[in-house]
Each structure stands twice: as C-alpha cells, then as structure tokens.
C-alpha cells in the first residue's frame, strides 16, 4: 500500500502514510494517524483591538516543546515547529543540534507596541504546561489553544516558545534563547550570535550580581535600530526573589526594566498567574500577542473548507 501511494501520489503524502504506519508498531505516541499540515493563508498584519481570533485565523504560528522535537515527536534539539491550528505540524527553523530552545520571537514582533500599550491581548504558556492562554485587554482570561490543537500527532507536554504573525516558512522565528542561558547569553539572533547577555538582563531587573542565575524563558522582540531594541520577557524562577511569572518590558537604551501593565494589572511577582486560568505553575515560559485579523473570519473558514475538499478530491482519485 505504501509503495502504491509512493509511486502515484508524491512524496509528502507517502511520508505521512509511512509515519502513520510506523506508529502502529513502534510507539503508542504515534498511534494517531499523522495529521497533515495545512498550509495556512498568506501572512496577515494584525490590527490592535478587543478581538481575540482563534488559532485557525492567526498566520505563521510556530512553537517549541520542552523538550525540543521534530514534527512527529522525535527528540531534536533546537528544532522549532510550524503549527496550522488544525492539529497539523511540520518542521520549522532548526537553530542547531545541541541545546534546548526555551524562547522564540521575531526581530520585529508585529504587536509588540500594541501589547505593551494594552491594545492587544497577551498570549502565554506556563511551565510544565502544553496549553496556551490568552489575556485580553479588559483582563478576561481564556484558553487559546490546547495541546491537541497545537499538535494532534504528538501533543506538546510543555509549550516553552511561541511565535505568531509571521510567514509560513522556516526563519520567521529569528530570535531565541536556550535553556539555562549557557555562555552568559540570554538572546541569540538567527546566526547564533548572542545579542543580549545575562548581565544585561540581570542589571535591567535589579540583580546585577546574580547574572549567573538568570535564564530568560519567554520573549517578544522589537528592533528599533541596528543595535537597539525593545523586548518583553520573563525569566525562570530565582528562589526567594522571583517566581517566574513576572513579565518585564525593557528598552536597550534604558537603565532598568519595568513590569508589563496589561489587561488591568501589572505582571509583577505579587500577581497570581495561576489564578488567571488554572494554569499549571506561576512560571510563564512562553509569550506572544494576538489581535484582530484584517479579513472576516468567514473568508478563512471558507478557504480552509475549500482546501479540505481539494484534499478529499485528490485522495479519491
Ligand atoms: Ca523547547
Ligand atoms: Ca508551557
Ligand atoms: Ca533561556
Ligand atoms: Ca518565566
């Protein structure tokens, strides 16, 4: 059956069938037939506002699991995944082969200024948690995406990096951090060059001598010049000081960072993250923003339905 499909129907489909075939014999994790990745609509520019579109309406979605894996769930350090919001996943950018990626962003995150001025909803995940939550500009919290919606083939155990609104191709996530902030760097560019150090982050949050304990674990990024930027970030917990649920905004030219003020409150240490939507822990380990899309949802729903019909028609031939 596999060879028949391979000879008549091209590489992508045959690979999916083979992956599904393997699942039946080699691992319970692959017992579900592979969900094909559906190429989404073209990149869109979101508009600030009250609206919180669902994942199927948001373009260019990427995530990182903890621990890093490829699209069928095989461990693969520094591999980032594209997800279509219908359960389909494919490999995205791969930053290397050695370390665990624990934060991703684009150099020009589209809603950066909008979310820090409370004109867009925040998206976040917490540690040991595969869900993604939304926090609207009025303070309403919601569950934005569950693990099976993110990846029906291999539900993420812990989403630890999130990026949306980019192009549907590898390379949209071009800023990242690695677990533990090894080598004294908190943020790397796409070439693997450290551009924000642990000393920079420690100094900005008021603990300069403790830079060795800093591990940036969630990031949004906004370039403002060749060597200048604004960032939104969280760090892993530091016992007795930070619980990891803090979200700071910091400009490269500023002496200190400030806690984000979004959705009716400040995201400081006192704020209870778990109380927002029964998240698993206080530690926020993925950050993004979401807002209205500039076309009616019905158009995209129609488009998705059309793609589905084309797929069915092809399979019946
Ligand atoms: Ca990861
Ligand atoms: Ca998580
Ligand atoms: Ca890190
Ligand atoms: Ca954190």
């Amino acid at each position: 059956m596999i060879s028949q499909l391979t000879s008549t129907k091209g590489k992508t489909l045959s690979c999916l069938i083979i992956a599904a075939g393997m699942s039946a014999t080699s691992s319970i994790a692959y017992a579900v037939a592979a969900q094909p990745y559906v190429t989404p609509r073209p990149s869109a520019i979101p508009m600030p506002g009250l609206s919180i579109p669902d994942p199927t309406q948001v373009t260019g979605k990427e995530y990182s699991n903890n621990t890093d894996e490829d699209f069928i769930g095989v461990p693969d350090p520094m591999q980032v995944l594209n997800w279509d919001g219908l359960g389909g996943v494919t490999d995205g950018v791969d930053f290397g082969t050695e370390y665990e990626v624990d934060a991703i962003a684009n150099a020009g995150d589209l809603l950066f200024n909008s979310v820090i001025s409370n004109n867009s909803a925040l998206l976040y995940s917490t540690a040991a948690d595969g869900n993604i939550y939304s926090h609207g500009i009025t303070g309403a919290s919601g569950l934005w995406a569950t693990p099976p919606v993110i990846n029906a083939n291999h539900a993420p155990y812990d989403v630890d990096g999130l990026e949306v609104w980019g192009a549907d191709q590898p390379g949209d996530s071009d800023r990242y951090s690695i677990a533990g902030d090894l080598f004294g760097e908190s943020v790397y560019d796409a070439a693997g060059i450290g551009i924000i150090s642990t000393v920079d982050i420690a100094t900005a949050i008021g603990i300069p001598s403790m830079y060795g304990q800093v591990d940036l674990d969630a990031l949004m990024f906004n370039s403002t010049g060749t060597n200048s930027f604004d960032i939104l970030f969280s760090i892993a917990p530091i016992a007795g000081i930070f619980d990891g649920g803090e979200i700071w905004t910091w400009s490269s030219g500023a002496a200190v960072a400030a806690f984000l003020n979004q959705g009716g409150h400040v995201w400081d240490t006192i704020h209870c993250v778990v109380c927002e939507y029964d998240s698993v822990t206080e530690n926020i380990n993925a950050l993004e923003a979401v807002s209205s899309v500039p076309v009616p949802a019905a158009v995209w729903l129609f488009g998705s339905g059309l793609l589905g019909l084309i797929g069915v028609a092809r399979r019946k031939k």
Side-chain angles (χ1 to χ4, degrees):
M1 184 175 173
I2 289 170
S3 60
Q4 239 180 350
L5 281 166
T6 303
S7 61
T8 56
K9 284 298 165 194
K11 196 176 173 187
T12 306
L13 180 58
S14 61
C15 286
L16 290 169
I17 298 296
I18 289 165
M22 283 169 61
S23 69
T25 53
S26 60
S27 166
I28 289 174
Y30 302 154
V32 177
Q35 189 83 5
Y37 177 84
V38 176
T39 301
R41 68 290 316 173
S43 297
I45 296 175
M47 298 183 297
L50 271 169
S51 164
I52 302 178
D54 71 50
T56 63
Q57 298 170 271
V58 173
T59 64
K61 296 181 294 299
E62 295 173 288
Y63 79 96
S64 178
N65 188 39
N66 182 17
T67 56
D68 297 347
E69 62 193 16
D70 70 11
F71 81 108
I72 53 171
V74 175
D76 187 349
M78 305 184 84
Q79 176 69 61
V80 173
L81 301 166
N82 303 321
W83 60 294
D84 61 18
L86 303 167
V89 170
T90 188
D91 288 345
V93 66
D94 192 332
F95 293 114
T97 58
E98 294 185 67
Y99 307 106
E100 168 69 26
V101 168
D102 70 348
I104 54 175
N106 184 272
D109 271 328
L110 283 172
L111 290 171
F112 186 90
N113 290 320
S114 183
V115 74
I116 65 172
S117 60
N118 195 37
N119 286 309
S120 289
L122 189 70
L123 292 178
Y124 65 95
S125 182
T126 55
D129 189 346
N131 293 302
I132 300 170
Y133 305 97
S134 63
H135 191 261
I137 64 179
T138 62
S141 288
L143 181 59
W144 193 65
T146 60
V149 165
I150 298 164
N151 186 343
N153 309 316
H154 190 80
Y157 161 74
D158 176 10
V159 171
D160 69 352
L162 179 64
E163 163 63 17
V164 303
W165 302 118
D168 180 36
Q169 57 189 14
D172 180 59
S173 292
D174 57 7
R175 297 288 182 271
Y176 68 95
S177 182
I178 59 174
D181 286 10
L182 307 174
F183 319 114
E185 301 290 352
S186 285
V187 180
Y188 292 87
D189 68 13
I193 307 295
I195 55 174
I196 305 177
S197 70
T198 53
V199 172
D200 291 339
I201 297 295
T203 302
I205 62 176
I207 53 167
S209 65
M210 299 177 69
Y211 64 90
Q213 295 183 55
V214 165
D215 178 10
L216 182 144
D217 66 356
L219 178 70
M220 286 186 72
F221 198 102
N222 184 38
S223 296
T224 53
T226 307
N227 293 307
S228 62
F229 51 80
D230 300 331
I231 60 172
L232 187 71
F233 68 96
S234 184
I235 62 168
I238 297 178
I241 302 178
F242 297 121
D243 64 15
E246 301 86 359
I247 304 173
W248 286 273
T249 63
W250 182 55
S251 298
S252 51
V256 294
F259 290 117
L260 174 69
N261 189 337
Q262 185 273 344
H265 64 78
V266 175
W267 292 77
D268 59 8
T269 310
I270 295 165
H271 173 66
C272 174
V273 176
V274 170
C275 304
E276 291 283 356
Y277 199 92
D278 289 337
S279 57
V280 174
T281 73
E282 279 292 293
N283 181 24
I284 290 171
N285 72 346
L287 279 174
E288 246 297 353
V290 71
S291 202
S292 315
V293 287
V295 290
V299 173
W300 293 136
L301 289 174
F302 174 75
S304 301
L306 202 61
L307 281 172
L309 287 174
I310 291 168
V312 168
R314 281 186 179 161
R315 266 172 245 135
K316 279 183 175 174
K317 279 183 184 175

